[in-house]
Amino acid sequence: MPPFHIKFMPEDRIIDVEDGTSLLEAAAKAEIFIKSGCGGKGTCGACKVVVLSGDPLVTGTGNLTPEQISKGVRLACQTLIQGDMTIEVPPESRLQEHQVLMGDVHKGILQESKHDLLERFGHHPLATKLRISLSVPTLTENTSDWARLNMELRRVLKAEDKPIHIPLSVLKHLPESLRKANWDVSVTLTEIDSGFTVTRVEPGNDHPPYGLAIDIGTTTVVVYLINLLTGEIEEQQGSYNKQAKYGDDVISRIVYAVENEEHLLGIQHAVVDTINELIDKIIARKSISNLDISSAIVAGNTTMTQLFLGVDPRYIRLEPYIPTMTSVPSVPAREIGLHMIPEALVHCYPSVASYVGGDIVAGTLVTDLANGEDIILFIDIGTNGEIVLGNQDWLVTCACSAGPSFEGGGITFGMRAMPGAIERVIIDSETLDVSLKVINNLPPVGICGSGLVDCMAKLLGAGIIDRAGNFQLAHHSGSERIRATPDDKEFVLAWAHQSGGKKDVVITENDVKNVIRAKGAIYAGIRSLLNMVAVDIEMISRIVIAGGFGNYLNVHDSVQIGLLPDLDTDRFEFIGNSSVKGARLALLSQNAWREAEELGRKMTYVELSVGATFMDEYVSALFLPHTDLSLFPSCQ
Ligand code: FES
């Protein structure tokens, strides 16, 4: 059967797909990323599309209403193609405009980290490239090609003790490589503790060697191209993780991956494809070759790391939550299929536990947390709030499930930080008039995590909610903005005529309670770690906040609602995408990479579900800012 033409609107993009392909897969093939919270099981309802023409096979309609169905709305994951079609993908079903956190992209309220630790660790990259001129063999000077090269490399590298390996794939081409280059060659080598490995021999040139720092996030992937000679970031690209079509979060990805070998392979290929596309864009922009890329370091959470390597992640989600490995073997790029020198090594950051991964170890390295007497708190806020506390003598870490509220999940008008999202809220406590700051200055369509924190603080400040998050309708009966609905109570942030979706954008009492639970989990995680090591909050000298949401956070409002500890604002610091920064640092410094591996071993993981401490702290934190106001003196 010939492939069918599927047109996606409003892009007007046409692709060809085979009979029986789901619309969700077809959309991914067309580079249109559709939300898929349940990983294509037909239960979450996130993947709604509108069939404008065509006659697909519908295998399920989930919770679609008869009215939606009559208007052509279908679940993309439950709709199979059996002929030509035209599909509209509505904005609310799309992933593609989410801001990819490239690094120091946003000048936050407080300063970004200015720490570049390369000076301290020393610039000594994991891969190097040498220009080597060899003597031409003769009848009397007739050592083998490899012995001749090996001897010269040993002399230049001053590597008396360390072995120099050459893989068979490079050895096979060595005779021609040397002779074609007239014995003037450039040799790329990887250096790790056990010795050097020759990864490429090419005609002599002075092009610099490059490395890749890669952050694999559950939602987005970021790749930096690093000049290994200068340490400069010469190019950077980011995009959605193509695994998104298998589910929005790590749990749905694991559930999909462990169904069978084919799924595991498919989900591995999805992330490798994502990275390769970013690499291809980078090399096209820089006019360099894939074969100029001589090493890569990957930082990601434990599930992302295992899926990148194709390692079965099933036990990560089953009690007692055991990852396959914490220290990860380095593998040649050809084994993964990355577009770089095939024999070049790809290194993955070690993880600490199933829910504290290499991205957190990378963040811990770049915060320089383990290198002084001062006690530092590092927080990465996402669906999981990962927290590290410590100094040069001790390090403790935990992960607390904050839920998806700060990423827009479970909130009536919640959305990720993308154009049209409310990120700042001001409420006049007399009139209840509202001023909003919206990303890209568009009419508002929803509210993102930092907007929610702002909004909560302002609702509390204006007396619209009490400390338990209950709406105070009786106190504001004169205002149209605060109202009761059949199921809930709500406050209108933007009226329909002002909003991008042409409907009132509201925050409900239920939304407020969800945010309180999310912030309560993070604060309880912080307190649990502090209790465990008997450290008082005042003893923390620096609080470093990483992650997409953290980067846009208003510290004052975060303290007012009890998300962050009540300390002077000058102790807070935003570090942006600490995962990719940690990957860059380790790529450029053998010492940094050794310390990263050491950090992974040194961190003590605290399982919060064991014992009553976390639950007690959590219950106490379900107030704004807290049941114990002595912890928040500036809020009294
Ligand atoms: Fe289609 Fe969840 S309903 S992905």
mmCIF file of all heavy atoms in Angstrom, residues 315-353:
data_model
loop_
_atom_site.group_PDB
_atom_site.id
_atom_site.type_symbol
_atom_site.label_atom_id
_atom_site.label_comp_id
_atom_site.label_asym_id
_atom_site.label_seq_id
_atom_site.Cartn_x
_atom_site.Cartn_y
_atom_site.Cartn_z
ATOM 1 N N TYR A 315 13.638 -1.066 37.385
ATOM 2 C CA TYR A 315 13.697 -1.100 38.854
ATOM 3 C C TYR A 315 13.801 0.290 39.481
ATOM 4 O O TYR A 315 13.699 0.442 40.682
ATOM 5 C CB TYR A 315 14.829 -2.027 39.307
ATOM 6 C CG TYR A 315 14.573 -3.436 38.809
ATOM 7 C CD1 TYR A 315 15.289 -3.963 37.744
ATOM 8 C CD2 TYR A 315 13.535 -4.186 39.357
ATOM 9 C CE1 TYR A 315 14.995 -5.225 37.250
ATOM 10 C CE2 TYR A 315 13.231 -5.449 38.864
ATOM 11 C CZ TYR A 315 13.959 -5.964 37.810
ATOM 12 O OH TYR A 315 13.649 -7.197 37.312
ATOM 13 N N ILE A 316 13.967 1.308 38.625
ATOM 14 C CA ILE A 316 13.986 2.689 39.139
ATOM 15 C C ILE A 316 12.624 3.060 39.737
ATOM 16 O O ILE A 316 12.541 3.790 40.709
ATOM 17 C CB ILE A 316 14.365 3.659 37.995
ATOM 18 C CG1 ILE A 316 15.844 3.498 37.643
ATOM 19 C CG2 ILE A 316 14.030 5.100 38.344
ATOM 20 C CD1 ILE A 316 16.312 4.357 36.485
ATOM 21 N N ARG A 317 11.554 2.502 39.166
ATOM 22 C CA ARG A 317 10.228 2.918 39.659
ATOM 23 C C ARG A 317 9.600 1.915 40.627
ATOM 24 O O ARG A 317 8.499 2.112 41.101
ATOM 25 C CB ARG A 317 9.283 3.200 38.507
ATOM 26 C CG ARG A 317 8.805 1.997 37.734
ATOM 27 C CD ARG A 317 7.834 2.417 36.658
ATOM 28 N NE ARG A 317 6.477 2.518 37.125
ATOM 29 C CZ ARG A 317 5.587 1.517 37.031
ATOM 30 N NH1 ARG A 317 5.914 0.375 36.512
ATOM 31 N NH2 ARG A 317 4.338 1.700 37.462
ATOM 32 N N LEU A 318 10.310 0.819 40.894
ATOM 33 C CA LEU A 318 9.751 -0.185 41.794
ATOM 34 C C LEU A 318 10.492 -0.139 43.128
ATOM 35 O O LEU A 318 11.721 -0.079 43.147
ATOM 36 C CB LEU A 318 9.899 -1.584 41.182
ATOM 37 C CG LEU A 318 9.223 -1.796 39.812
ATOM 38 C CD1 LEU A 318 9.555 -3.174 39.259
ATOM 39 C CD2 LEU A 318 7.716 -1.620 39.930
ATOM 40 N N GLU A 319 9.724 -0.142 44.221
ATOM 41 C CA GLU A 319 10.357 -0.160 45.537
ATOM 42 C C GLU A 319 11.312 -1.351 45.643
ATOM 43 O O GLU A 319 10.933 -2.429 45.195
ATOM 44 C CB GLU A 319 9.264 -0.248 46.614
ATOM 45 C CG GLU A 319 9.744 0.214 47.958
ATOM 46 C CD GLU A 319 8.616 0.216 48.993
ATOM 47 O OE1 GLU A 319 7.459 0.521 48.633
ATOM 48 O OE2 GLU A 319 8.918 -0.108 50.139
ATOM 49 N N PRO A 320 12.509 -1.250 46.138
ATOM 50 C CA PRO A 320 13.118 -0.092 46.817
ATOM 51 C C PRO A 320 13.873 0.864 45.881
ATOM 52 O O PRO A 320 14.805 1.506 46.318
ATOM 53 C CB PRO A 320 14.085 -0.758 47.800
ATOM 54 C CG PRO A 320 14.530 -2.003 47.080
ATOM 55 C CD PRO A 320 13.363 -2.451 46.246
ATOM 56 N N TYR A 321 13.460 1.017 44.629
ATOM 57 C CA TYR A 321 13.940 2.060 43.696
ATOM 58 C C TYR A 321 15.458 1.984 43.454
ATOM 59 O O TYR A 321 16.215 2.882 43.812
ATOM 60 C CB TYR A 321 13.565 3.461 44.207
ATOM 61 C CG TYR A 321 12.160 3.549 44.724
ATOM 62 C CD1 TYR A 321 11.904 3.799 46.069
ATOM 63 C CD2 TYR A 321 11.080 3.354 43.869
ATOM 64 C CE1 TYR A 321 10.607 3.849 46.557
ATOM 65 C CE2 TYR A 321 9.778 3.391 44.357
ATOM 66 C CZ TYR A 321 9.556 3.640 45.702
ATOM 67 O OH TYR A 321 8.278 3.681 46.172
ATOM 68 N N ILE A 322 15.884 0.895 42.831
ATOM 69 C CA ILE A 322 17.317 0.655 42.621
ATOM 70 C C ILE A 322 17.691 0.904 41.153
ATOM 71 O O ILE A 322 17.141 0.250 40.257
ATOM 72 C CB ILE A 322 17.675 -0.804 43.002
ATOM 73 C CG1 ILE A 322 17.238 -1.106 44.443
ATOM 74 C CG2 ILE A 322 19.177 -1.048 42.822
ATOM 75 C CD1 ILE A 322 17.910 -0.270 45.510
ATOM 76 N N PRO A 323 18.617 1.820 40.909
ATOM 77 C CA PRO A 323 19.078 2.000 39.524
ATOM 78 C C PRO A 323 20.019 0.867 39.132
ATOM 79 O O PRO A 323 20.569 0.189 40.006
ATOM 80 C CB PRO A 323 19.840 3.337 39.577
ATOM 81 C CG PRO A 323 20.324 3.435 40.984
ATOM 82 C CD PRO A 323 19.328 2.716 41.842
ATOM 83 N N THR A 324 20.215 0.673 37.834
ATOM 84 C CA THR A 324 21.121 -0.397 37.394
ATOM 85 C C THR A 324 22.552 -0.072 37.798
ATOM 86 O O THR A 324 23.317 -0.942 38.193
ATOM 87 C CB THR A 324 21.044 -0.561 35.859
ATOM 88 O OG1 THR A 324 19.687 -0.805 35.523
ATOM 89 C CG2 THR A 324 21.912 -1.705 35.360
ATOM 90 N N MET A 325 22.931 1.200 37.665
ATOM 91 C CA MET A 325 24.307 1.584 38.026
ATOM 92 C C MET A 325 24.292 3.051 38.451
ATOM 93 O O MET A 325 23.409 3.808 38.071
ATOM 94 C CB MET A 325 25.273 1.390 36.849
ATOM 95 C CG MET A 325 25.107 2.348 35.698
ATOM 96 S SD MET A 325 23.677 1.961 34.653
ATOM 97 C CE MET A 325 23.761 3.229 33.420
ATOM 98 N N THR A 326 25.257 3.426 39.266
ATOM 99 C CA THR A 326 25.429 4.844 39.579
ATOM 100 C C THR A 326 26.670 5.372 38.859
ATOM 101 O O THR A 326 26.670 6.472 38.327
ATOM 102 C CB THR A 326 25.544 5.069 41.103
ATOM 103 O OG1 THR A 326 26.476 4.151 41.635
ATOM 104 C CG2 THR A 326 24.209 4.887 41.787
ATOM 105 N N SER A 327 27.721 4.558 38.838
ATOM 106 C CA SER A 327 28.915 4.936 38.085
ATOM 107 C C SER A 327 28.758 4.348 36.678
ATOM 108 O O SER A 327 28.477 3.165 36.524
ATOM 109 C CB SER A 327 30.131 4.354 38.798
ATOM 110 O OG SER A 327 31.273 4.640 38.069
ATOM 111 N N VAL A 328 28.911 5.198 35.668
ATOM 112 C CA VAL A 328 28.521 4.789 34.326
ATOM 113 C C VAL A 328 29.766 4.562 33.462
ATOM 114 O O VAL A 328 30.643 5.428 33.410
ATOM 115 C CB VAL A 328 27.642 5.889 33.684
ATOM 116 C CG1 VAL A 328 27.076 5.406 32.364
ATOM 117 C CG2 VAL A 328 26.526 6.296 34.630
ATOM 118 N N PRO A 329 29.857 3.419 32.775
ATOM 119 C CA PRO A 329 31.041 3.193 31.931
ATOM 120 C C PRO A 329 31.049 4.140 30.738
ATOM 121 O O PRO A 329 29.999 4.458 30.182
ATOM 122 C CB PRO A 329 30.880 1.743 31.465
ATOM 123 C CG PRO A 329 29.419 1.443 31.624
ATOM 124 C CD PRO A 329 28.909 2.310 32.728
ATOM 125 N N SER A 330 32.246 4.595 30.353
ATOM 126 C CA SER A 330 32.373 5.416 29.145
ATOM 127 C C SER A 330 32.308 4.483 27.936
ATOM 128 O O SER A 330 32.851 3.377 27.973
ATOM 129 C CB SER A 330 33.699 6.166 29.163
ATOM 130 O OG SER A 330 33.763 6.964 30.325
ATOM 131 N N VAL A 331 31.624 4.918 26.885
ATOM 132 C CA VAL A 331 31.460 4.043 25.719
ATOM 133 C C VAL A 331 31.857 4.788 24.447
ATOM 134 O O VAL A 331 31.690 6.013 24.355
ATOM 135 C CB VAL A 331 30.008 3.536 25.576
ATOM 136 C CG1 VAL A 331 29.650 2.575 26.689
ATOM 137 C CG2 VAL A 331 29.022 4.700 25.538
ATOM 138 N N PRO A 332 32.386 4.055 23.432
ATOM 139 C CA PRO A 332 32.686 4.719 22.163
ATOM 140 C C PRO A 332 31.393 5.238 21.521
ATOM 141 O O PRO A 332 30.346 4.591 21.617
ATOM 142 C CB PRO A 332 33.301 3.607 21.310
ATOM 143 C CG PRO A 332 33.637 2.507 22.241
ATOM 144 C CD PRO A 332 32.719 2.629 23.415
ATOM 145 N N ALA A 333 31.481 6.383 20.855
ATOM 146 C CA ALA A 333 30.294 7.012 20.253
ATOM 147 C C ALA A 333 29.601 6.070 19.275
ATOM 148 O O ALA A 333 28.381 6.100 19.137
ATOM 149 C CB ALA A 333 30.715 8.300 19.552
ATOM 150 N N ARG A 334 30.385 5.201 18.592
ATOM 151 C CA ARG A 334 29.763 4.297 17.607
ATOM 152 C C ARG A 334 28.773 3.355 18.263
ATOM 153 O O ARG A 334 27.798 2.930 17.651
ATOM 154 C CB ARG A 334 30.835 3.509 16.833
ATOM 155 C CG ARG A 334 31.626 2.553 17.662
ATOM 156 C CD ARG A 334 32.639 1.733 16.875
ATOM 157 N NE ARG A 334 33.712 1.302 17.743
ATOM 158 C CZ ARG A 334 33.588 0.367 18.690
ATOM 159 N NH1 ARG A 334 32.443 -0.251 18.868
ATOM 160 N NH2 ARG A 334 34.613 0.047 19.462
ATOM 161 N N GLU A 335 28.963 3.021 19.548
ATOM 162 C CA GLU A 335 28.032 2.098 20.217
ATOM 163 C C GLU A 335 26.684 2.753 20.468
ATOM 164 O O GLU A 335 25.662 2.092 20.582
ATOM 165 C CB GLU A 335 28.610 1.620 21.554
ATOM 166 C CG GLU A 335 29.590 0.491 21.390
ATOM 167 C CD GLU A 335 29.948 -0.154 22.713
ATOM 168 O OE1 GLU A 335 29.099 -0.200 23.628
ATOM 169 O OE2 GLU A 335 31.099 -0.593 22.834
ATOM 170 N N ILE A 336 26.694 4.082 20.588
ATOM 171 C CA ILE A 336 25.449 4.807 20.826
ATOM 172 C C ILE A 336 24.884 5.315 19.493
ATOM 173 O O ILE A 336 23.692 5.507 19.346
ATOM 174 C CB ILE A 336 25.713 6.035 21.745
ATOM 175 C CG1 ILE A 336 26.384 5.613 23.047
ATOM 176 C CG2 ILE A 336 24.448 6.833 22.030
ATOM 177 C CD1 ILE A 336 25.482 4.919 24.009
ATOM 178 N N GLY A 337 25.789 5.559 18.538
ATOM 179 C CA GLY A 337 25.352 6.102 17.252
ATOM 180 C C GLY A 337 25.383 7.617 17.211
ATOM 181 O O GLY A 337 24.695 8.236 16.392
ATOM 182 N N LEU A 338 26.184 8.249 18.070
ATOM 183 C CA LEU A 338 26.280 9.715 18.032
ATOM 184 C C LEU A 338 27.132 10.157 16.850
ATOM 185 O O LEU A 338 28.114 9.496 16.494
ATOM 186 C CB LEU A 338 26.898 10.261 19.328
ATOM 187 C CG LEU A 338 26.018 10.296 20.567
ATOM 188 C CD1 LEU A 338 26.704 11.093 21.669
ATOM 189 C CD2 LEU A 338 24.635 10.869 20.298
ATOM 190 N N HIS A 339 26.767 11.295 16.260
ATOM 191 C CA HIS A 339 27.464 11.811 15.089
ATOM 192 C C HIS A 339 28.764 12.511 15.497
ATOM 193 O O HIS A 339 28.822 13.740 15.581
ATOM 194 C CB HIS A 339 26.561 12.787 14.329
ATOM 195 C CG HIS A 339 25.378 12.121 13.702
ATOM 196 N ND1 HIS A 339 24.371 12.795 13.061
ATOM 197 C CD2 HIS A 339 25.055 10.804 13.608
ATOM 198 C CE1 HIS A 339 23.481 11.940 12.606
ATOM 199 N NE2 HIS A 339 23.860 10.733 12.934
ATOM 200 N N MET A 340 29.784 11.749 15.758
ATOM 201 C CA MET A 340 31.098 12.290 16.115
ATOM 202 C C MET A 340 32.143 11.215 15.778
ATOM 203 O O MET A 340 31.786 10.202 15.171
ATOM 204 C CB MET A 340 31.130 12.672 17.603
ATOM 205 C CG MET A 340 30.652 11.579 18.539
ATOM 206 S SD MET A 340 30.333 12.153 20.210
ATOM 207 C CE MET A 340 31.996 12.255 20.850
ATOM 208 N N ILE A 341 33.399 11.430 16.116
ATOM 209 C CA ILE A 341 34.415 10.413 15.826
ATOM 210 C C ILE A 341 33.931 9.079 16.420
ATOM 211 O O ILE A 341 33.652 9.009 17.628
ATOM 212 C CB ILE A 341 35.774 10.819 16.452
ATOM 213 C CG1 ILE A 341 36.309 12.080 15.780
ATOM 214 C CG2 ILE A 341 36.766 9.675 16.340
ATOM 215 C CD1 ILE A 341 37.596 12.615 16.422
ATOM 216 N N PRO A 342 33.815 8.033 15.592
ATOM 217 C CA PRO A 342 33.186 6.794 16.099
ATOM 218 C C PRO A 342 33.862 6.210 17.336
ATOM 219 O O PRO A 342 33.196 5.671 18.208
ATOM 220 C CB PRO A 342 33.298 5.837 14.908
ATOM 221 C CG PRO A 342 33.405 6.716 13.711
ATOM 222 C CD PRO A 342 34.129 7.955 14.148
ATOM 223 N N GLU A 343 35.197 6.316 17.422
ATOM 224 C CA GLU A 343 35.896 5.727 18.569
ATOM 225 C C GLU A 343 36.003 6.700 19.757
ATOM 226 O O GLU A 343 36.514 6.333 20.818
ATOM 227 C CB GLU A 343 37.307 5.269 18.167
ATOM 228 C CG GLU A 343 37.333 4.122 17.167
ATOM 229 C CD GLU A 343 36.752 2.818 17.734
ATOM 230 O OE1 GLU A 343 36.665 2.688 18.968
ATOM 231 O OE2 GLU A 343 36.368 1.948 16.926
ATOM 232 N N ALA A 344 35.557 7.947 19.565
ATOM 233 C CA ALA A 344 35.633 8.923 20.667
ATOM 234 C C ALA A 344 34.751 8.464 21.817
ATOM 235 O O ALA A 344 33.677 7.900 21.596
ATOM 236 C CB ALA A 344 35.180 10.291 20.176
ATOM 237 N N LEU A 345 35.207 8.730 23.031
ATOM 238 C CA LEU A 345 34.443 8.250 24.178
ATOM 239 C C LEU A 345 33.327 9.219 24.569
ATOM 240 O O LEU A 345 33.495 10.437 24.537
ATOM 241 C CB LEU A 345 35.362 8.039 25.376
ATOM 242 C CG LEU A 345 36.270 6.805 25.335
ATOM 243 C CD1 LEU A 345 37.036 6.659 26.638
ATOM 244 C CD2 LEU A 345 35.479 5.530 25.033
ATOM 245 N N VAL A 346 32.195 8.616 24.932
ATOM 246 C CA VAL A 346 31.062 9.375 25.486
ATOM 247 C C VAL A 346 31.004 9.027 26.975
ATOM 248 O O VAL A 346 30.906 7.848 27.336
ATOM 249 C CB VAL A 346 29.747 8.975 24.793
ATOM 250 C CG1 VAL A 346 28.567 9.717 25.395
ATOM 251 C CG2 VAL A 346 29.845 9.222 23.291
ATOM 252 N N HIS A 347 31.107 10.043 27.804
ATOM 253 C CA HIS A 347 31.104 9.828 29.259
ATOM 254 C C HIS A 347 29.772 10.323 29.820
ATOM 255 O O HIS A 347 29.281 11.374 29.404
ATOM 256 C CB HIS A 347 32.212 10.626 29.948
ATOM 257 C CG HIS A 347 33.557 10.501 29.279
ATOM 258 N ND1 HIS A 347 34.459 9.503 29.576
ATOM 259 C CD2 HIS A 347 34.148 11.247 28.317
ATOM 260 C CE1 HIS A 347 35.547 9.649 28.846
ATOM 261 N NE2 HIS A 347 35.378 10.702 28.070
ATOM 262 N N CYS A 348 29.207 9.584 30.756
ATOM 263 C CA CYS A 348 27.968 10.023 31.418
ATOM 264 C C CYS A 348 28.267 10.336 32.878
ATOM 265 O O CYS A 348 28.957 9.559 33.556
ATOM 266 C CB CYS A 348 26.901 8.943 31.365
ATOM 267 S SG CYS A 348 26.270 8.632 29.725
ATOM 268 N N TYR A 349 27.702 11.442 33.357
ATOM 269 C CA TYR A 349 27.848 11.799 34.767
ATOM 270 C C TYR A 349 27.323 10.682 35.654
ATOM 271 O O TYR A 349 26.273 10.100 35.356
ATOM 272 C CB TYR A 349 27.062 13.082 35.060
ATOM 273 C CG TYR A 349 27.938 14.289 35.251
ATOM 274 C CD1 TYR A 349 28.293 15.096 34.197
ATOM 275 C CD2 TYR A 349 28.419 14.602 36.515
ATOM 276 C CE1 TYR A 349 29.102 16.200 34.380
ATOM 277 C CE2 TYR A 349 29.227 15.696 36.714
ATOM 278 C CZ TYR A 349 29.575 16.498 35.654
ATOM 279 O OH TYR A 349 30.381 17.578 35.853
ATOM 280 N N PRO A 350 28.005 10.373 36.739
ATOM 281 C CA PRO A 350 27.485 9.358 37.652
ATOM 282 C C PRO A 350 26.231 9.875 38.365
ATOM 283 O O PRO A 350 26.062 11.086 38.514
ATOM 284 C CB PRO A 350 28.629 9.179 38.662
ATOM 285 C CG PRO A 350 29.365 10.483 38.631
ATOM 286 C CD PRO A 350 29.240 10.999 37.224
ATOM 287 N N SER A 351 25.372 8.980 38.788
ATOM 288 C CA SER A 351 24.211 9.389 39.584
ATOM 289 C C SER A 351 24.413 8.941 41.026
ATOM 290 O O SER A 351 25.395 8.263 41.343
ATOM 291 C CB SER A 351 22.928 8.816 38.982
ATOM 292 O OG SER A 351 23.049 7.422 38.867
ATOM 293 N N VAL A 352 23.481 9.343 41.874
ATOM 294 C CA VAL A 352 23.588 8.995 43.290
ATOM 295 C C VAL A 352 22.558 7.924 43.647
ATOM 296 O O VAL A 352 22.835 6.990 44.397
ATOM 297 C CB VAL A 352 23.354 10.242 44.174
ATOM 298 C CG1 VAL A 352 23.462 9.899 45.660
ATOM 299 C CG2 VAL A 352 24.342 11.340 43.815
ATOM 300 N N ALA A 353 21.374 8.070 43.084
ATOM 301 C CA ALA A 353 20.285 7.136 43.364
ATOM 302 C C ALA A 353 19.272 7.257 42.227
ATOM 303 O O ALA A 353 19.468 8.049 41.301
ATOM 304 C CB ALA A 353 19.640 7.492 44.712
#
